[in-house]
Amino acid sequence: MSAIQSLHSFDPFADANKGDYLLPPGTGAYFHIRIRQRNGRKTLTTIQEMAGDYDKKKPMKVYKKKFACNGTIVEHPEYGEVIQIQGEQHKNITQFLVETGLAKDDKLKVHGF
């Protein structure tokens, strides 16, 4: 019986519980882009933007017009104010933010993949 080793459980999401993307809303460290499955093939892309006291309606209007989709601003209990856009727009959003200079590539975090 002494030859049996104790197997330790391994949590694959342990590193996700610690890290800088769990900062409270309003700290302004990163742009967080999340993909969420609604039903069937429908998806939502949520964008938690950097901190600032600016109007989130302006970037939402640009996203809606540029990507030909619908969107809204929602108050999320954990992440604060987020922009929700219909469809899987994470590639378009990241490319747009880098091209316009609103965010650097290392300041974008895409969750959900």
Side-chain angles (χ1 to χ4, degrees):
M1 283 292 186
S2 64
I4 299 175
Q5 293 181 358
S6 174
L7 298 176
H8 300 289
S9 65
F10 173 72
D11 185 13
F13 299 106
D15 61 340
N17 292 334
K18 53 187 166 176
D20 48 3
Y21 69 88
L22 291 176
L23 294 172
T27 56
Y30 292 96
F31 277 84
H32 297 280
I33 301 168
R34 294 177 175 84
I35 309 299
R36 204 176 80 196
Q37 190 78 26
R38 276 186 17 202
N39 51 4
R41 293 171 49 187
K42 310 278 184 187
T43 57
L44 277 178
T45 303
T46 60
I47 306 158
Q48 176 190 354
E49 296 190 4
M50 297 174 93
D53 296 331
Y54 63 90
D55 190 18
K56 292 193 187 307
K57 291 181 183 179
K58 289 180 182 180
M60 184 192 60
K61 285 182 182 181
V62 173
Y63 299 149
K64 286 169 55 174
K65 189 169 188 171
K66 182 149 179 85
F67 308 132
C69 60
N70 200 1
T72 185
I73 299 173
V74 177
E75 183 66 35
H76 193 275
E78 186 178 350
Y79 305 124
E81 271 190 340
V82 295
I83 297 175
Q84 280 187 347
I85 295 184
Q86 288 181 346
E88 193 171 325
Q89 303 288 344
H90 68 280
K91 291 178 185 173
N92 294 334
I93 294 287
T94 55
Q95 182 181 9
F96 176 75
L97 290 173
V98 171
E99 284 178 357
T100 58
L102 292 173
K104 294 181 182 176
D105 198 26
D106 60 338
K107 295 294 182 181
L108 295 173
K109 293 214 177 205
V110 179
H111 307 276
F113 286 99

